[in-house]
Amino acid sequence: MAAIDADTLDPPQRASALRTVAVILVRAISILLTVALAIGVGIWSSRAMISRGSPLSTDMYGPWQHWRDAGRESSDPYTRAHILASGKLWISADSAGIFEARTDSQGARLHSSCSYRIEGASLPGLWWSLSVFDLQGRLIPNDADRYEFTADTVAPNPNGSYVISLGRDARPGNWLPTSGAGRLVLVFTVLDPATGLSDEQRVERNKRLPIIEREDCS
């Protein structure tokens, strides 16, 4: 295509050529911005699905999130990426239920500036553990060297239920310290018995996850 010498054009032709060039530039910039936006949204949504999950890969039971295919060979790419990013060795969903909570049962973010009452129902024949971590997935250092309660170590109520206190200040009973960790993540793990669980039994188990109630904040 021959180049156009703008100096040889009369004013109307020159204005028309400039408008044509401007339209081409605007269209090119619009296409580039659209592509950049699509890539940015794609990266953001992928990261969100890997770190926080979605209905495609997780189930919610109140404040508790469960990666339904964790550890399974059939797990989706987002679940696999989440497990790799966590740096933890996860138990297969065929052998245990692993539930994470970042909010209380009313939906407010868990934070070490608040204290919480965690109330759980009896789970006959099932071993469980409840641990607290900071937002980076690290155990929270504390003078009591206390990081979790399990079905073996918790002091239960007479009917088999239990109450665990979560907070910075020491208190009697089942107390998990949070120090000044900031945002918190609770992890509740329930191991299947050696005989396994049926789908119906898993549904019933998932109905009996602990309730997380905020008491006060300072």
Side-chain angles (χ1 to χ4, degrees):
M1 181 181 294
I4 298 176
D5 186 355
D7 294 335
T8 64
L9 300 177
D10 55 34
Q13 290 175 321
R14 184 180 302 173
S16 177
L18 290 175
R19 282 195 296 271
T20 300
V21 171
V23 169
I24 293 173
L25 287 174
V26 169
R27 288 179 177 174
I29 292 172
S30 297
I31 291 172
L32 289 174
L33 288 175
T34 300
V35 171
L37 180 61
I39 293 174
V41 170
I43 293 173
W44 176 84
S45 62
S46 294
R47 287 181 175 177
M49 290 180 70
I50 290 171
S51 63
R52 291 291 181 261
S54 77
L56 297 175
S57 54
T58 64
D59 297 313
M60 294 299 299
Y61 304 95
W64 299 99
Q65 183 182 50
H66 174 54
W67 291 78
R68 70 177 73 96
D69 290 322
R72 290 175 173 161
E73 292 184 2
S74 60
S75 61
D76 61 273
Y78 295 108
T79 298
R80 294 182 182 181
H82 175 78
I83 301 306
L84 289 173
S86 72
K88 302 174 185 175
L89 181 62
W90 280 51
I91 304 171
S92 170
D94 292 320
S95 302
I98 301 177
F99 305 87
E100 298 178 337
R102 291 175 171 80
T103 70
D104 60 29
S105 293
Q106 287 70 48
R109 290 297 307 246
L110 297 175
H111 199 276
S112 62
S113 60
C114 299
S115 59
Y116 301 89
R117 172 187 173 92
I118 303 168
E119 187 170 353
S122 173
L123 295 172
L126 298 178
W127 186 91
W128 57 265
S129 69
L130 178 71
S131 307
V132 61
F133 299 88
D134 65 17
L135 200 59
Q136 286 71 47
R138 299 171 300 202
L139 291 171
I140 300 170
N142 62 88
D143 293 338
D145 282 335
R146 188 178 295 181
Y147 307 100
E148 69 173 0
F149 281 103
T150 72
D152 298 325
T153 61
V154 75
N157 297 320
N159 63 358
S161 66
Y162 56 89
V163 174
I164 295 174
S165 299
L166 186 71
R168 292 180 300 186
D169 300 324
R171 58 188 65 190
N174 305 312
W175 167 61
L176 275 179
T178 58
S179 301
R183 289 185 174 180
L184 306 171
V185 180
L186 285 172
V187 178
F188 186 72
T189 303
V190 188
L191 295 184
D192 291 359
T195 54
L197 292 177
S198 66
D199 291 340
E200 292 77 12
Q201 289 172 320
R202 282 200 171 96
V203 169
E204 185 61 29
R205 175 198 68 186
N206 296 346
K207 291 179 181 178
R208 300 170 69 83
L209 298 177
I211 297 171
I212 308 170
E213 295 182 349
R214 186 173 67 183
E215 295 186 319
D216 56 66
C217 299
S218 58

